[in-house]
Amino acid sequence: MSKDNGRSKAYTICSWVILIILAFLFIFPLYWIITGALKTQAAINSPTPQWWPGEFTLRNFQTLFSKRSAPLFQFKIPFLPLMVTGPIVPAAIRWLVNTVFMAVVAMVLTCVTAAMAGYALAKKRFIGRTLLFSLIVAAMALPKQVILIPLIREMSALGLYDNIWAVIFPTVGWPFGVFLMKQFSESIPGEMLEAARIDGAGEMRTFTQIVVPMIKPGIGALAIFTFINSWNDYFMQLIMLTSSSNLTISLGIATMQAENSTDYGLIMAGATLAAVPIIVVFLIFQKYFTKGITMGAVKG
Amino acid sequence: MRQTMSPELRRRETISGYLFLLPSLVFFIGFVVIPMVMCVATSFTDANMNSNEVDHFVGLANYIELWQDPVFLKALVNTIIIVVVSVPVVTVFSLWVASAIHKMKEAPLSFFRVVFYLPVVTGSVAVTVVWKWMYNNYYGIFNYLLKGVGLIEKNINWLGDPRYALGCIIIILLTTSVGQPIVLYVSALSNVDQTLIEAAEVDGATNFQTFWRIKWPQIMPTTLYILVITTINSFQCFALIQLLTSGGPNYATETVMYYIYYTAFKLFRFGYGNAMGVILAIFIAVLSAVQFRLAREK
């Protein structure tokens, strides 16, 4: 504390001021989206911006929900010519349903497969382990978007093009999760696994009773990380999904933007619908999220 | 203990290891490795988007054409500009923010971490459409504010002017790129060995000296990781371009990633697009390797 002379105090105050200004600038776009969604057409199209909406209106949301409609869900029963279809709702609601479905399924599949694979890579001494791990690390360093163009042809060959599973599967295959889970599994003491084996516990039991509880924080981090990333993976959604009822919320907003590029009120209402749910999820789980980012980088 | 593994145990470990890996490998091989191989393989053919037609082997024709394609070369230059500007700015900016906040109490620290991460979580589409509005020629706040303070006299069509469009895109890219590096630097800085810093302070080292001599070498691995991920992200800049300018005006914002998309989806030249993908991957690999080498030497 004795080193706290005038100069470093001034520096501290300065950096606080700058940080607060920066924080304001980083929050502003979000503020502008949400207030924009609630402004009247006249307020939006005026050359003088209204910093706070003079008059609140829900008209933009009404327009958004009246634009198009789609069934709430469609579910085809495999091998049968049966299709279960939900009630007709505004397309934007269907897009949200699609997005939540996609993000949740991708998250669950990623966590299950990555936890198992990460544990095996960290704790099993099997032939080909080093080679496999190097392949995973090398794949991670490659630009993810480059493989998506070839994926389109693969998906059409599999009959999955314009299907939400075409977005889910590559997300699950991306090796970051395995890498992250390996990092977490390294900390499991080998003696515990040894003891379980001596006690006669089977592989699956050892995994669910000992390994999973120990890497729970890691699974939490991976879950939230996958959820947010797949929600926002616009490029993949763009190239894989085409028909109006299969879109995700981001993709739907982008399509609307292309069609009504000057109706900013409507577009901001859509952007609010796309951004607010995921921001709420992020705020609730941000501790896990931070941990996931940090752990994934340990050996980068 | 491990060295004395019996062949029987080793066999069991191998079988169970692969069983645990199996579900993950199915997805990894099916949807990452196979497309990678396909990307390279089709780059030597005249493949189009129709998977029923037979692809003809054309050798290096796609790669030769690339270097004579003025749009690709322009896209490459733009992409390199984006990388060269954004990587150092993101790194320095996030290091500064992280050093300013990492000693704060939990509440303000979380607050700032969340705030700087917000543009990433908001999602590229929502972020892009709001910036498009802010940049708008008539009702955008930038023209209003800059006219208000007297910096410009009449409205500028920010995204429609080849002189400004790329700069405008880079600004948005920067706000969506600093979130992760800040989180990483905060964690790296709080892991720096405190005893060394205290010892240096007792010896009368200035803040600058402590940073440069003690903290900087210890956070080097983090810096390296940040350099690599920021490079990869900047190379892949796509959503901003597709939603804001479609590469225009006059190719001023054309990037390699956008041109790959354009070639595959608008020109239906699948093989040609994949050749670009291979070149992009090579560029990123070389650049990451160079960054590693440089950082190691220091």
Side-chain angles (χ1 to χ4, degrees), chain A residues 125-127 142 145 152-154 197 232 234-235 257 264 289 294, chain B residues 12 18 30 36 48 55 121 132 136 187 236 238 242 257 265:
Chain A
R125 294 290 172 271
F126 56 85
I127 302 150
L142 284 172
Q145 295 181 347
I152 300 167
R153 275 216 331 195
E154 191 184 339
R197 185 163 53 216
N232 284 335
Y234 171 66
F235 188 78
Q257 195 249 181
Y264 285 108
F289 193 77
T294 327
Chain B
R12 248 184 44 199
Y18 277 100
M36 265 176 201
N48 57 22
D55 306 336
V121 181
K132 187 174 187 177
N136 186 284
S187 134
Q236 296 187 88
F238 171 81
Q242 196 246 348
M257 205 54 231
F265 278 85

PDB file of all heavy atoms in Angstrom, chain A residues 125-127 142 145 152-154 197 232 234-235 257 264 289 294, chain B residues 12 18 30 36 48 55 121 132 136 187 236 238 242 257 265:
ATOM      1  N   ARG A 125      -4.793 -46.583 -21.406  1.00  0.00           N
ATOM      2  CA  ARG A 125      -3.530 -46.672 -22.140  1.00  0.00           C
ATOM      3  C   ARG A 125      -3.719 -47.653 -23.288  1.00  0.00           C
ATOM      4  O   ARG A 125      -3.411 -48.819 -23.160  1.00  0.00           O
ATOM      5  CB  ARG A 125      -2.404 -47.134 -21.213  1.00  0.00           C
ATOM      6  CG  ARG A 125      -2.060 -46.164 -20.130  1.00  0.00           C
ATOM      7  CD  ARG A 125      -1.373 -44.920 -20.707  1.00  0.00           C
ATOM      8  NE  ARG A 125      -1.201 -43.887 -19.709  1.00  0.00           N
ATOM      9  CZ  ARG A 125      -2.108 -42.944 -19.445  1.00  0.00           C
ATOM     10  NH1 ARG A 125      -3.259 -42.925 -20.092  1.00  0.00           N
ATOM     11  NH2 ARG A 125      -1.887 -42.023 -18.544  1.00  0.00           N
ATOM     12  N   PHE A 126      -4.309 -47.192 -24.386  1.00  0.00           N
ATOM     13  CA  PHE A 126      -4.584 -48.130 -25.470  1.00  0.00           C
ATOM     14  C   PHE A 126      -3.720 -47.808 -26.683  1.00  0.00           C
ATOM     15  O   PHE A 126      -3.137 -46.725 -26.784  1.00  0.00           O
ATOM     16  CB  PHE A 126      -6.071 -48.117 -25.838  1.00  0.00           C
ATOM     17  CG  PHE A 126      -6.588 -46.765 -26.200  1.00  0.00           C
ATOM     18  CD1 PHE A 126      -6.464 -46.277 -27.482  1.00  0.00           C
ATOM     19  CD2 PHE A 126      -7.205 -45.964 -25.236  1.00  0.00           C
ATOM     20  CE1 PHE A 126      -6.932 -45.027 -27.815  1.00  0.00           C
ATOM     21  CE2 PHE A 126      -7.679 -44.717 -25.561  1.00  0.00           C
ATOM     22  CZ  PHE A 126      -7.539 -44.238 -26.853  1.00  0.00           C
ATOM     23  N   ILE A 127      -3.656 -48.757 -27.576  1.00  0.00           N
ATOM     24  CA  ILE A 127      -2.822 -48.607 -28.770  1.00  0.00           C
ATOM     25  C   ILE A 127      -3.452 -47.562 -29.689  1.00  0.00           C
ATOM     26  O   ILE A 127      -4.661 -47.580 -29.911  1.00  0.00           O
ATOM     27  CB  ILE A 127      -2.688 -49.961 -29.506  1.00  0.00           C
ATOM     28  CG1 ILE A 127      -2.085 -50.993 -28.539  1.00  0.00           C
ATOM     29  CG2 ILE A 127      -1.843 -49.831 -30.760  1.00  0.00           C
ATOM     30  CD1 ILE A 127      -2.515 -52.412 -28.798  1.00  0.00           C
ATOM     31  N   LEU A 142      -7.765 -26.332 -37.587  1.00  0.00           N
ATOM     32  CA  LEU A 142      -8.218 -26.015 -38.940  1.00  0.00           C
ATOM     33  C   LEU A 142      -9.446 -25.113 -38.899  1.00  0.00           C
ATOM     34  O   LEU A 142     -10.212 -25.139 -37.941  1.00  0.00           O
ATOM     35  CB  LEU A 142      -8.566 -27.301 -39.684  1.00  0.00           C
ATOM     36  CG  LEU A 142      -7.367 -28.096 -40.160  1.00  0.00           C
ATOM     37  CD1 LEU A 142      -7.816 -29.432 -40.701  1.00  0.00           C
ATOM     38  CD2 LEU A 142      -6.597 -27.331 -41.225  1.00  0.00           C
ATOM     39  N   GLN A 145     -15.109 -23.549 -40.799  1.00  0.00           N
ATOM     40  CA  GLN A 145     -16.031 -23.229 -41.874  1.00  0.00           C
ATOM     41  C   GLN A 145     -15.630 -23.874 -43.198  1.00  0.00           C
ATOM     42  O   GLN A 145     -16.483 -24.110 -44.043  1.00  0.00           O
ATOM     43  CB  GLN A 145     -16.123 -21.719 -42.047  1.00  0.00           C
ATOM     44  CG  GLN A 145     -16.740 -21.062 -40.826  1.00  0.00           C
ATOM     45  CD  GLN A 145     -16.861 -19.578 -40.972  1.00  0.00           C
ATOM     46  OE1 GLN A 145     -16.281 -18.982 -41.864  1.00  0.00           O
ATOM     47  NE2 GLN A 145     -17.613 -18.960 -40.089  1.00  0.00           N
ATOM     48  N   ILE A 152     -22.067 -30.141 -47.243  1.00  0.00           N
ATOM     49  CA  ILE A 152     -23.377 -30.036 -47.886  1.00  0.00           C
ATOM     50  C   ILE A 152     -23.620 -31.249 -48.758  1.00  0.00           C
ATOM     51  O   ILE A 152     -24.695 -31.842 -48.731  1.00  0.00           O
ATOM     52  CB  ILE A 152     -23.458 -28.774 -48.763  1.00  0.00           C
ATOM     53  CG1 ILE A 152     -23.239 -27.557 -47.908  1.00  0.00           C
ATOM     54  CG2 ILE A 152     -24.808 -28.680 -49.449  1.00  0.00           C
ATOM     55  CD1 ILE A 152     -22.993 -26.344 -48.732  1.00  0.00           C
ATOM     56  N   ARG A 153     -22.605 -31.616 -49.540  1.00  0.00           N
ATOM     57  CA  ARG A 153     -22.804 -32.764 -50.443  1.00  0.00           C
ATOM     58  C   ARG A 153     -22.969 -34.041 -49.666  1.00  0.00           C
ATOM     59  O   ARG A 153     -23.772 -34.895 -50.027  1.00  0.00           O
ATOM     60  CB  ARG A 153     -21.639 -32.882 -51.426  1.00  0.00           C
ATOM     61  CG  ARG A 153     -21.864 -32.005 -52.613  1.00  0.00           C
ATOM     62  CD  ARG A 153     -21.413 -32.498 -53.958  1.00  0.00           C
ATOM     63  NE  ARG A 153     -20.305 -33.398 -54.030  1.00  0.00           N
ATOM     64  CZ  ARG A 153     -19.655 -33.652 -55.150  1.00  0.00           C
ATOM     65  NH1 ARG A 153     -19.994 -33.035 -56.275  1.00  0.00           N
ATOM     66  NH2 ARG A 153     -18.668 -34.490 -55.183  1.00  0.00           N
ATOM     67  N   GLU A 154     -22.205 -34.154 -48.576  1.00  0.00           N
ATOM     68  CA  GLU A 154     -22.337 -35.346 -47.742  1.00  0.00           C
ATOM     69  C   GLU A 154     -23.758 -35.417 -47.167  1.00  0.00           C
ATOM     70  O   GLU A 154     -24.382 -36.481 -47.162  1.00  0.00           O
ATOM     71  CB  GLU A 154     -21.309 -35.312 -46.613  1.00  0.00           C
ATOM     72  CG  GLU A 154     -21.217 -36.626 -45.871  1.00  0.00           C
ATOM     73  CD  GLU A 154     -20.262 -36.546 -44.687  1.00  0.00           C
ATOM     74  OE1 GLU A 154     -19.401 -35.649 -44.674  1.00  0.00           O
ATOM     75  OE2 GLU A 154     -20.397 -37.375 -43.771  1.00  0.00           O
ATOM     76  N   ARG A 197     -11.614 -50.999  -9.893  1.00  0.00           N
ATOM     77  CA  ARG A 197     -11.452 -52.222 -10.665  1.00  0.00           C
ATOM     78  C   ARG A 197     -11.226 -53.412  -9.745  1.00  0.00           C
ATOM     79  O   ARG A 197     -11.789 -54.487  -9.949  1.00  0.00           O
ATOM     80  CB  ARG A 197     -10.283 -52.078 -11.639  1.00  0.00           C
ATOM     81  CG  ARG A 197     -10.157 -53.299 -12.538  1.00  0.00           C
ATOM     82  CD  ARG A 197      -9.316 -53.050 -13.769  1.00  0.00           C
ATOM     83  NE  ARG A 197      -8.024 -52.518 -13.432  1.00  0.00           N
ATOM     84  CZ  ARG A 197      -7.379 -51.620 -14.164  1.00  0.00           C
ATOM     85  NH1 ARG A 197      -7.907 -51.168 -15.282  1.00  0.00           N
ATOM     86  NH2 ARG A 197      -6.204 -51.170 -13.798  1.00  0.00           N
ATOM     87  N   ASN A 232     -25.627 -19.840 -31.994  1.00  0.00           N
ATOM     88  CA  ASN A 232     -25.134 -18.718 -32.791  1.00  0.00           C
ATOM     89  C   ASN A 232     -24.349 -19.119 -34.033  1.00  0.00           C
ATOM     90  O   ASN A 232     -23.742 -18.268 -34.670  1.00  0.00           O
ATOM     91  CB  ASN A 232     -24.257 -17.806 -31.923  1.00  0.00           C
ATOM     92  CG  ASN A 232     -25.093 -16.949 -31.003  1.00  0.00           C
ATOM     93  OD1 ASN A 232     -26.252 -16.671 -31.290  1.00  0.00           O
ATOM     94  ND2 ASN A 232     -24.514 -16.531 -29.897  1.00  0.00           N
ATOM     95  N   TYR A 234     -24.208 -19.254 -37.184  1.00  0.00           N
ATOM     96  CA  TYR A 234     -24.993 -18.790 -38.321  1.00  0.00           C
ATOM     97  C   TYR A 234     -24.572 -19.433 -39.640  1.00  0.00           C
ATOM     98  O   TYR A 234     -25.409 -19.843 -40.443  1.00  0.00           O
ATOM     99  CB  TYR A 234     -24.880 -17.272 -38.405  1.00  0.00           C
ATOM    100  CG  TYR A 234     -25.474 -16.674 -39.650  1.00  0.00           C
ATOM    101  CD1 TYR A 234     -26.839 -16.736 -39.881  1.00  0.00           C
ATOM    102  CD2 TYR A 234     -24.674 -16.048 -40.594  1.00  0.00           C
ATOM    103  CE1 TYR A 234     -27.391 -16.185 -41.008  1.00  0.00           C
ATOM    104  CE2 TYR A 234     -25.221 -15.492 -41.733  1.00  0.00           C
ATOM    105  CZ  TYR A 234     -26.574 -15.566 -41.939  1.00  0.00           C
ATOM    106  OH  TYR A 234     -27.121 -15.035 -43.065  1.00  0.00           O
ATOM    107  N   PHE A 235     -23.276 -19.538 -39.875  1.00  0.00           N
ATOM    108  CA  PHE A 235     -22.794 -20.024 -41.167  1.00  0.00           C
ATOM    109  C   PHE A 235     -23.307 -21.438 -41.457  1.00  0.00           C
ATOM    110  O   PHE A 235     -23.827 -21.717 -42.531  1.00  0.00           O
ATOM    111  CB  PHE A 235     -21.260 -19.998 -41.203  1.00  0.00           C
ATOM    112  CG  PHE A 235     -20.688 -20.304 -42.559  1.00  0.00           C
ATOM    113  CD1 PHE A 235     -20.682 -19.341 -43.547  1.00  0.00           C
ATOM    114  CD2 PHE A 235     -20.153 -21.544 -42.846  1.00  0.00           C
ATOM    115  CE1 PHE A 235     -20.163 -19.607 -44.805  1.00  0.00           C
ATOM    116  CE2 PHE A 235     -19.628 -21.821 -44.108  1.00  0.00           C
ATOM    117  CZ  PHE A 235     -19.637 -20.846 -45.082  1.00  0.00           C
ATOM    118  N   GLN A 257     -34.403  -9.819 -42.880  1.00  0.00           N
ATOM    119  CA  GLN A 257     -33.606  -8.632 -43.135  1.00  0.00           C
ATOM    120  C   GLN A 257     -33.379  -8.447 -44.628  1.00  0.00           C
ATOM    121  O   GLN A 257     -33.422  -7.344 -45.153  1.00  0.00           O
ATOM    122  CB  GLN A 257     -32.277  -8.759 -42.390  1.00  0.00           C
ATOM    123  CG  GLN A 257     -31.523  -7.498 -42.269  1.00  0.00           C
ATOM    124  CD  GLN A 257     -30.252  -7.484 -43.095  1.00  0.00           C
ATOM    125  OE1 GLN A 257     -29.555  -6.507 -43.053  1.00  0.00           O
ATOM    126  NE2 GLN A 257     -29.933  -8.537 -43.823  1.00  0.00           N
ATOM    127  N   TYR A 264     -36.403  -1.290 -39.901  1.00  0.00           N
ATOM    128  CA  TYR A 264     -35.502  -1.605 -38.794  1.00  0.00           C
ATOM    129  C   TYR A 264     -36.241  -2.001 -37.521  1.00  0.00           C
ATOM    130  O   TYR A 264     -35.746  -2.810 -36.740  1.00  0.00           O
ATOM    131  CB  TYR A 264     -34.547  -0.443 -38.530  1.00  0.00           C
ATOM    132  CG  TYR A 264     -33.474  -0.357 -39.581  1.00  0.00           C
ATOM    133  CD1 TYR A 264     -33.476   0.647 -40.536  1.00  0.00           C
ATOM    134  CD2 TYR A 264     -32.466  -1.314 -39.631  1.00  0.00           C
ATOM    135  CE1 TYR A 264     -32.503   0.698 -41.519  1.00  0.00           C
ATOM    136  CE2 TYR A 264     -31.490  -1.265 -40.607  1.00  0.00           C
ATOM    137  CZ  TYR A 264     -31.512  -0.263 -41.545  1.00  0.00           C
ATOM    138  OH  TYR A 264     -30.559  -0.214 -42.521  1.00  0.00           O
ATOM    139  N   PHE A 289     -19.275 -21.118 -17.992  1.00  0.00           N
ATOM    140  CA  PHE A 289     -18.816 -20.746 -19.321  1.00  0.00           C
ATOM    141  C   PHE A 289     -17.368 -20.269 -19.284  1.00  0.00           C
ATOM    142  O   PHE A 289     -16.517 -20.736 -20.034  1.00  0.00           O
ATOM    143  CB  PHE A 289     -19.728 -19.633 -19.838  1.00  0.00           C
ATOM    144  CG  PHE A 289     -19.563 -19.360 -21.288  1.00  0.00           C
ATOM    145  CD1 PHE A 289     -20.123 -20.194 -22.226  1.00  0.00           C
ATOM    146  CD2 PHE A 289     -18.849 -18.259 -21.718  1.00  0.00           C
ATOM    147  CE1 PHE A 289     -19.971 -19.949 -23.573  1.00  0.00           C
ATOM    148  CE2 PHE A 289     -18.697 -18.006 -23.065  1.00  0.00           C
ATOM    149  CZ  PHE A 289     -19.262 -18.852 -23.991  1.00  0.00           C
ATOM    150  N   THR A 294     -11.451 -21.139 -20.232  1.00  0.00           N
ATOM    151  CA  THR A 294     -10.115 -21.155 -19.671  1.00  0.00           C
ATOM    152  C   THR A 294      -9.492 -22.542 -19.745  1.00  0.00           C
ATOM    153  O   THR A 294      -8.337 -22.687 -20.127  1.00  0.00           O
ATOM    154  CB  THR A 294     -10.172 -20.697 -18.201  1.00  0.00           C
ATOM    155  OG1 THR A 294     -11.215 -19.746 -18.074  1.00  0.00           O
ATOM    156  CG2 THR A 294      -8.883 -20.082 -17.787  1.00  0.00           C
TER     157      THR A 294
ATOM    158  N   ARG B  12      -7.335 -55.437 -22.675  1.00  0.00           N
ATOM    159  CA  ARG B  12      -8.614 -54.984 -22.144  1.00  0.00           C
ATOM    160  C   ARG B  12      -8.732 -53.465 -22.203  1.00  0.00           C
ATOM    161  O   ARG B  12      -9.789 -52.923 -22.536  1.00  0.00           O
ATOM    162  CB  ARG B  12      -8.753 -55.447 -20.692  1.00  0.00           C
ATOM    163  CG  ARG B  12      -9.846 -56.498 -20.558  1.00  0.00           C
ATOM    164  CD  ARG B  12     -10.079 -56.921 -19.126  1.00  0.00           C
ATOM    165  NE  ARG B  12     -10.117 -55.819 -18.173  1.00  0.00           N
ATOM    166  CZ  ARG B  12      -9.946 -55.981 -16.861  1.00  0.00           C
ATOM    167  NH1 ARG B  12      -9.704 -57.166 -16.367  1.00  0.00           N
ATOM    168  NH2 ARG B  12     -10.012 -54.954 -16.044  1.00  0.00           N
ATOM    169  N   TYR B  18     -11.431 -48.023 -26.846  1.00  0.00           N
ATOM    170  CA  TYR B  18     -12.093 -47.753 -28.127  1.00  0.00           C
ATOM    171  C   TYR B  18     -13.603 -47.766 -28.000  1.00  0.00           C
ATOM    172  O   TYR B  18     -14.297 -47.030 -28.692  1.00  0.00           O
ATOM    173  CB  TYR B  18     -11.618 -48.726 -29.209  1.00  0.00           C
ATOM    174  CG  TYR B  18     -10.325 -48.255 -29.821  1.00  0.00           C
ATOM    175  CD1 TYR B  18      -9.108 -48.792 -29.444  1.00  0.00           C
ATOM    176  CD2 TYR B  18     -10.338 -47.210 -30.757  1.00  0.00           C
ATOM    177  CE1 TYR B  18      -7.923 -48.328 -29.970  1.00  0.00           C
ATOM    178  CE2 TYR B  18      -9.150 -46.743 -31.295  1.00  0.00           C
ATOM    179  CZ  TYR B  18      -7.951 -47.301 -30.902  1.00  0.00           C
ATOM    180  OH  TYR B  18      -6.791 -46.821 -31.416  1.00  0.00           O
ATOM    181  N   GLY B  30     -17.182 -39.055 -39.257  1.00  0.00           N
ATOM    182  CA  GLY B  30     -18.256 -38.841 -40.223  1.00  0.00           C
ATOM    183  C   GLY B  30     -18.425 -37.399 -40.646  1.00  0.00           C
ATOM    184  O   GLY B  30     -18.681 -37.125 -41.823  1.00  0.00           O
ATOM    185  N   MET B  36     -13.194 -33.164 -44.558  1.00  0.00           N
ATOM    186  CA  MET B  36     -11.846 -32.639 -44.805  1.00  0.00           C
ATOM    187  C   MET B  36     -11.209 -33.331 -45.997  1.00  0.00           C
ATOM    188  O   MET B  36     -10.639 -32.689 -46.879  1.00  0.00           O
ATOM    189  CB  MET B  36     -10.963 -32.895 -43.584  1.00  0.00           C
ATOM    190  CG  MET B  36     -10.901 -31.740 -42.635  1.00  0.00           C
ATOM    191  SD  MET B  36      -9.938 -32.241 -41.205  1.00  0.00           S
ATOM    192  CE  MET B  36     -10.530 -31.038 -40.041  1.00  0.00           C
ATOM    193  N   ASN B  48     -19.537 -29.915 -59.237  1.00  0.00           N
ATOM    194  CA  ASN B  48     -20.515 -28.872 -58.941  1.00  0.00           C
ATOM    195  C   ASN B  48     -21.343 -29.324 -57.745  1.00  0.00           C
ATOM    196  O   ASN B  48     -21.018 -30.305 -57.091  1.00  0.00           O
ATOM    197  CB  ASN B  48     -21.384 -28.568 -60.166  1.00  0.00           C
ATOM    198  CG  ASN B  48     -22.100 -29.805 -60.668  1.00  0.00           C
ATOM    199  OD1 ASN B  48     -22.291 -30.755 -59.928  1.00  0.00           O
ATOM    200  ND2 ASN B  48     -22.474 -29.790 -61.933  1.00  0.00           N
ATOM    201  N   ASP B  55     -17.724 -36.345 -61.186  1.00  0.00           N
ATOM    202  CA  ASP B  55     -16.720 -35.275 -61.165  1.00  0.00           C
ATOM    203  C   ASP B  55     -15.552 -35.670 -62.053  1.00  0.00           C
ATOM    204  O   ASP B  55     -15.140 -36.824 -62.079  1.00  0.00           O
ATOM    205  CB  ASP B  55     -16.207 -35.070 -59.740  1.00  0.00           C
ATOM    206  CG  ASP B  55     -17.334 -34.817 -58.758  1.00  0.00           C
ATOM    207  OD1 ASP B  55     -18.403 -34.366 -59.204  1.00  0.00           O
ATOM    208  OD2 ASP B  55     -17.145 -35.079 -57.560  1.00  0.00           O
ATOM    209  N   VAL B 121     -22.123 -13.355 -27.405  1.00  0.00           N
ATOM    210  CA  VAL B 121     -23.309 -14.128 -27.037  1.00  0.00           C
ATOM    211  C   VAL B 121     -24.538 -13.634 -27.798  1.00  0.00           C
ATOM    212  O   VAL B 121     -25.397 -14.425 -28.177  1.00  0.00           O
ATOM    213  CB  VAL B 121     -23.544 -14.035 -25.514  1.00  0.00           C
ATOM    214  CG1 VAL B 121     -24.745 -14.855 -25.119  1.00  0.00           C
ATOM    215  CG2 VAL B 121     -22.326 -14.503 -24.773  1.00  0.00           C
ATOM    216  N   LYS B 132     -25.834  -2.437 -38.809  1.00  0.00           N
ATOM    217  CA  LYS B 132     -26.258  -1.974 -40.127  1.00  0.00           C
ATOM    218  C   LYS B 132     -27.140  -0.732 -39.983  1.00  0.00           C
ATOM    219  O   LYS B 132     -27.013   0.243 -40.729  1.00  0.00           O
ATOM    220  CB  LYS B 132     -27.029  -3.092 -40.836  1.00  0.00           C
ATOM    221  CG  LYS B 132     -27.350  -2.765 -42.273  1.00  0.00           C
ATOM    222  CD  LYS B 132     -27.970  -3.952 -42.974  1.00  0.00           C
ATOM    223  CE  LYS B 132     -28.116  -3.655 -44.456  1.00  0.00           C
ATOM    224  NZ  LYS B 132     -28.649  -4.786 -45.199  1.00  0.00           N
ATOM    225  N   ASN B 136     -26.380   3.261 -40.985  1.00  0.00           N
ATOM    226  CA  ASN B 136     -27.259   3.688 -42.077  1.00  0.00           C
ATOM    227  C   ASN B 136     -27.029   5.143 -42.471  1.00  0.00           C
ATOM    228  O   ASN B 136     -26.809   6.026 -41.642  1.00  0.00           O
ATOM    229  CB  ASN B 136     -28.719   3.475 -41.667  1.00  0.00           C
ATOM    230  CG  ASN B 136     -29.681   3.748 -42.797  1.00  0.00           C
ATOM    231  OD1 ASN B 136     -29.941   4.901 -43.128  1.00  0.00           O
ATOM    232  ND2 ASN B 136     -30.186   2.708 -43.418  1.00  0.00           N
ATOM    233  N   SER B 187      -7.694 -14.904 -16.420  1.00  0.00           N
ATOM    234  CA  SER B 187      -7.323 -16.119 -15.711  1.00  0.00           C
ATOM    235  C   SER B 187      -5.805 -16.299 -15.683  1.00  0.00           C
ATOM    236  O   SER B 187      -5.234 -16.677 -14.664  1.00  0.00           O
ATOM    237  CB  SER B 187      -8.047 -17.304 -16.341  1.00  0.00           C
ATOM    238  OG  SER B 187      -7.181 -18.374 -16.544  1.00  0.00           O
ATOM    239  N   GLN B 236     -11.866 -16.224 -40.868  1.00  0.00           N
ATOM    240  CA  GLN B 236     -13.155 -16.811 -41.197  1.00  0.00           C
ATOM    241  C   GLN B 236     -14.290 -15.794 -41.216  1.00  0.00           C
ATOM    242  O   GLN B 236     -15.450 -16.165 -41.230  1.00  0.00           O
ATOM    243  CB  GLN B 236     -13.493 -17.915 -40.203  1.00  0.00           C
ATOM    244  CG  GLN B 236     -12.524 -19.051 -40.276  1.00  0.00           C
ATOM    245  CD  GLN B 236     -12.970 -20.204 -39.418  1.00  0.00           C
ATOM    246  OE1 GLN B 236     -13.707 -21.062 -39.843  1.00  0.00           O
ATOM    247  NE2 GLN B 236     -12.525 -20.227 -38.179  1.00  0.00           N
ATOM    248  N   PHE B 238     -17.209 -13.961 -41.920  1.00  0.00           N
ATOM    249  CA  PHE B 238     -18.183 -14.272 -42.960  1.00  0.00           C
ATOM    250  C   PHE B 238     -19.539 -13.591 -42.757  1.00  0.00           C
ATOM    251  O   PHE B 238     -20.022 -12.870 -43.625  1.00  0.00           O
ATOM    252  CB  PHE B 238     -18.393 -15.786 -43.072  1.00  0.00           C
ATOM    253  CG  PHE B 238     -19.534 -16.148 -43.958  1.00  0.00           C
ATOM    254  CD1 PHE B 238     -19.369 -16.162 -45.337  1.00  0.00           C
ATOM    255  CD2 PHE B 238     -20.787 -16.432 -43.443  1.00  0.00           C
ATOM    256  CE1 PHE B 238     -20.424 -16.461 -46.171  1.00  0.00           C
ATOM    257  CE2 PHE B 238     -21.849 -16.732 -44.276  1.00  0.00           C
ATOM    258  CZ  PHE B 238     -21.666 -16.747 -45.634  1.00  0.00           C
ATOM    259  N   GLN B 242     -21.647 -11.222 -45.350  1.00  0.00           N
ATOM    260  CA  GLN B 242     -22.833 -11.718 -46.042  1.00  0.00           C
ATOM    261  C   GLN B 242     -24.046 -10.854 -45.727  1.00  0.00           C
ATOM    262  O   GLN B 242     -24.874 -10.598 -46.584  1.00  0.00           O
ATOM    263  CB  GLN B 242     -23.084 -13.176 -45.643  1.00  0.00           C
ATOM    264  CG  GLN B 242     -24.027 -13.902 -46.578  1.00  0.00           C
ATOM    265  CD  GLN B 242     -25.317 -14.273 -45.888  1.00  0.00           C
ATOM    266  OE1 GLN B 242     -25.429 -14.180 -44.666  1.00  0.00           O
ATOM    267  NE2 GLN B 242     -26.297 -14.682 -46.659  1.00  0.00           N
ATOM    268  N   MET B 257     -13.489 -16.189 -47.177  1.00  0.00           N
ATOM    269  CA  MET B 257     -14.595 -17.040 -46.720  1.00  0.00           C
ATOM    270  C   MET B 257     -15.888 -16.697 -47.457  1.00  0.00           C
ATOM    271  O   MET B 257     -16.637 -17.588 -47.852  1.00  0.00           O
ATOM    272  CB  MET B 257     -14.768 -16.842 -45.209  1.00  0.00           C
ATOM    273  CG  MET B 257     -15.398 -18.014 -44.513  1.00  0.00           C
ATOM    274  SD  MET B 257     -14.556 -19.566 -44.822  1.00  0.00           S
ATOM    275  CE  MET B 257     -15.940 -20.564 -45.313  1.00  0.00           C
ATOM    276  N   PHE B 265     -22.292 -21.444 -53.706  1.00  0.00           N
ATOM    277  CA  PHE B 265     -23.750 -21.303 -53.686  1.00  0.00           C
ATOM    278  C   PHE B 265     -24.327 -20.486 -54.819  1.00  0.00           C
ATOM    279  O   PHE B 265     -25.484 -20.648 -55.153  1.00  0.00           O
ATOM    280  CB  PHE B 265     -24.200 -20.698 -52.356  1.00  0.00           C
ATOM    281  CG  PHE B 265     -24.290 -21.710 -51.284  1.00  0.00           C
ATOM    282  CD1 PHE B 265     -23.165 -22.052 -50.564  1.00  0.00           C
ATOM    283  CD2 PHE B 265     -25.474 -22.359 -51.029  1.00  0.00           C
ATOM    284  CE1 PHE B 265     -23.226 -23.013 -49.585  1.00  0.00           C
ATOM    285  CE2 PHE B 265     -25.551 -23.318 -50.060  1.00  0.00           C
ATOM    286  CZ  PHE B 265     -24.426 -23.653 -49.340  1.00  0.00           C
TER     287      PHE B 265
END
